[in-house]
Amino acid sequence: MNEYYFDHAATSSVHPEVVEAMIPYYTDVFGNPSSSHRFGRRAKQAVMDARHRIASHISASADEIIFTSGGTEANNLALLGYARANRTKGTHLITSKIEHHAVLHTMKQLEREGFTITYVDVDTTGQVSANDIKAALTEDTILVSVMYGNNEVGTVQPIEEIGAILHSHQAVFHTDAVQAAGLRTLDYKLLGVDMLSLASHKVNGPKGVGCLYVSKAVTLDAMTYGGEQERKRRAGTENVPGIVGFAKAIELAKEQQAVNQQKYSYFQAAFIEIMDAHGVEYVLNGSKNRLAHILNISFRNVKTETLLMKLDIAGIVASGGSACTAGTLVPSHVIEAMYGHDNHKVMEAIRFSFGLTNEESETIEAFNKIATIVKAEQSRDNFIE
């Protein structure tokens, strides 16, 4: 049976060239970057080189990149690190209701520590209003965190507009750009952000590595202690092979950015065309201005968990939302924020996300299978009615 993987927003396969780039750092250049001998110096040079290459992706300086274990740790370090280090300036933070749980759960922890959090609403397309962010600002606000592109519906947020608003305010601006890396140009100066999170495994790099861009003007408390690594902000021996692979993956994604944008946009258009041809009833979730690799759709009268099971039986892999909540049968907090808790679309939403392994002929074949499965479910429901 053929298998079709449409869950690249959860994780992506490692690019063969990335694997090739990493292998020497498992076998030959295996030294600890903190060691002063030649084995350590070689590993340190590899980390320094990767830091420069990743920094250039967002037009930053190498010393503004902190390597982490992934996007979740990068978000935690940004929020906890900044809030704890700067609470004498204020204790109010702002975020949106559709952030990744790596941000939302961290904000809940900060609430337990005495901080006040404003969770800004979104419209029915999943977009935050920059004016709502502005209205939520107070003299006590020290941090605003809004993701670049949503991981469930793909909606791109008005980051530059929010950045311009915060330019004259004391609050620093963090964005989770994990899903946008390699698909959108990420220049921290143009975006107006002070901190930016990235994750390797979303761009065909290895799991277990990511980074946080931190402006030189930003003060953070460390979250781990024990060494001098990452300018004393993240102690622990660096994941040298992962960091090397991350840098290679970012470069490959940037080289293919225009091609991938076109490819994934074509897939989105083809998906809709095929659903229409089969007479499938659906609602697209998210804004027209969305990340090209994410397509979120609610199929009328077809429950999310039912459809995911039937697709899996047919060898088609998709998701009901963030991989971090998979298997919990909890409705998507993003779709709920867009439509309200009681809206039927909340329990009917499916996310298809495209990537490196999707070739045109197999993808179109899968789309037709999806349409046939959904149409059968909808016809069965109509018969029961």
Side-chain angles (χ1 to χ4, degrees):
M1 180 179 69
N2 290 336
E3 294 181 328
Y4 312 90
Y5 185 79
F6 300 125
D7 200 19
H8 291 270
T11 197
S12 60
S13 62
V14 181
H15 195 290
E17 291 185 38
V18 171
V19 175
E20 185 179 357
M22 293 170 64
I23 288 174
Y25 297 91
Y26 285 112
T27 57
D28 300 324
V29 191
F30 56 83
N32 187 321
S34 296
S35 298
S36 59
H37 51 62
R38 65 182 61 201
F39 281 81
R41 292 197 302 272
R42 290 170 190 156
K44 183 176 181 179
Q45 184 59 49
V47 171
M48 290 173 60
D49 179 60
R51 199 186 303 275
H52 278 280
R53 290 155 64 193
I54 292 170
S56 68
H57 181 65
I58 58 172
S59 301
S61 299
D63 59 358
E64 294 176 311
I65 298 297
I66 299 175
F67 287 118
T68 67
S69 62
T72 292
E73 186 189 347
N75 288 339
N76 273 253
L77 178 58
L79 305 184
L80 295 174
Y82 189 80
R84 291 169 178 171
N86 295 276
R87 68 184 309 153
T88 57
K89 298 179 182 178
T91 56
H92 179 235
L93 292 79
I94 299 171
T95 192
S96 80
K97 291 183 177 179
I98 51 90
E99 299 298 308
H100 191 279
H101 283 115
V103 167
L104 293 178
H105 290 175
T106 304
M107 289 293 190
K108 291 298 182 183
Q109 173 58 33
L110 287 168
E111 284 186 294
R112 290 188 284 270
E113 295 180 17
F115 290 88
T116 301
I117 316 296
T118 296
Y119 299 91
V120 176
D121 288 319
V122 296
D123 63 19
T124 55
T125 71
Q127 189 164 77
V128 177
S129 165
N131 287 332
D132 287 348
I133 298 291
K134 184 176 182 179
L137 289 170
T138 71
E139 293 182 357
D140 200 41
T141 307
I142 60 170
L143 174 67
V144 175
S145 181
V146 177
M147 67 195 334
Y148 184 104
N150 184 260
N151 57 300
E152 293 194 28
V153 298
T155 297
V156 175
Q157 304 301 335
I159 300 301
E160 292 182 30
E161 191 176 348
I162 296 170
I165 289 170
L166 295 176
H167 183 70
S168 58
H169 194 280
Q170 73 160 351
V172 301
F173 189 18
H174 166 256
T175 189
D176 173 350
V178 164
Q179 289 293 342
L183 289 168
R184 294 292 181 103
T185 299
L186 300 175
D187 185 321
Y188 85 91
K189 294 176 183 177
L190 296 177
L191 296 177
V193 298
D194 303 288
M195 295 186 284
L196 183 149
S197 301
L198 297 173
S200 167
H201 75 112
K202 305 296 188 179
V203 291
N204 303 111
K207 297 175 182 63
V209 63
C211 72
L212 177 68
Y213 155 74
V214 183
S215 166
K216 294 176 183 177
V218 169
T219 301
L220 293 181
D221 271 359
M223 290 175 54
T224 56
Y225 300 89
E228 304 293 311
Q229 295 90 349
E230 303 304 304
R231 290 184 293 146
K232 300 183 180 180
R233 293 178 173 183
R234 203 252 186 185
T237 302
E238 296 91 342
N239 174 6
V240 180
I243 289 169
V244 170
F246 183 16
K248 183 65 175 179
I250 281 282
E251 289 182 343
L252 291 171
K254 192 170 185 178
E255 289 172 7
Q256 292 294 310
Q257 181 171 313
V259 172
N260 288 338
Q261 282 272 22
Q262 184 177 17
K263 175 183 176 181
Y264 304 150
S265 295
Y266 166 73
F267 285 164
Q268 291 211 20
F271 188 98
I272 299 306
E273 183 178 335
I274 290 170
M275 295 305 121
D276 289 342
H278 283 261
V280 172
E281 297 180 58
Y282 64 86
V283 174
L284 286 174
N285 300 318
S287 169
K288 290 182 178 179
N289 181 19
R290 61 177 176 264
L291 299 174
H293 71 304
I294 294 177
L295 179 64
N296 194 298
I297 190 164
S298 292
F299 295 104
R300 187 191 65 81
N301 291 341
V302 182
K303 299 298 184 185
T304 301
E305 60 267 31
T306 299
L307 183 54
L308 286 176
M309 178 185 67
K310 290 184 177 293
L311 292 178
D312 193 48
I313 291 170
I316 300 167
V317 178
S319 72
S322 171
C324 297
T325 56
T328 62
L329 297 181
V330 175
S332 163
H333 71 285
V334 175
I335 306 296
E336 281 191 349
M338 290 163 57
Y339 299 125
H341 176 74
D342 296 326
N343 193 290
H344 67 93
K345 291 188 282 290
V346 173
M347 301 303 296
E348 298 168 349
I350 297 282
R351 181 186 70 183
F352 300 94
S353 49
F354 313 119
L356 178 67
T357 62
N358 300 136
E359 298 298 333
E360 181 177 349
S361 59
E362 291 85 357
T363 298
I364 298 303
E365 179 180 78
F367 289 173
N368 279 290
K369 288 186 177 183
I370 294 167
T372 299
I373 293 168
V374 174
K375 186 62 178 177
E377 284 297 304
Q378 292 181 333
S379 297
R380 187 179 67 84
D381 183 76
N382 289 334
F383 177 76
I384 293 172
E385 290 178 356

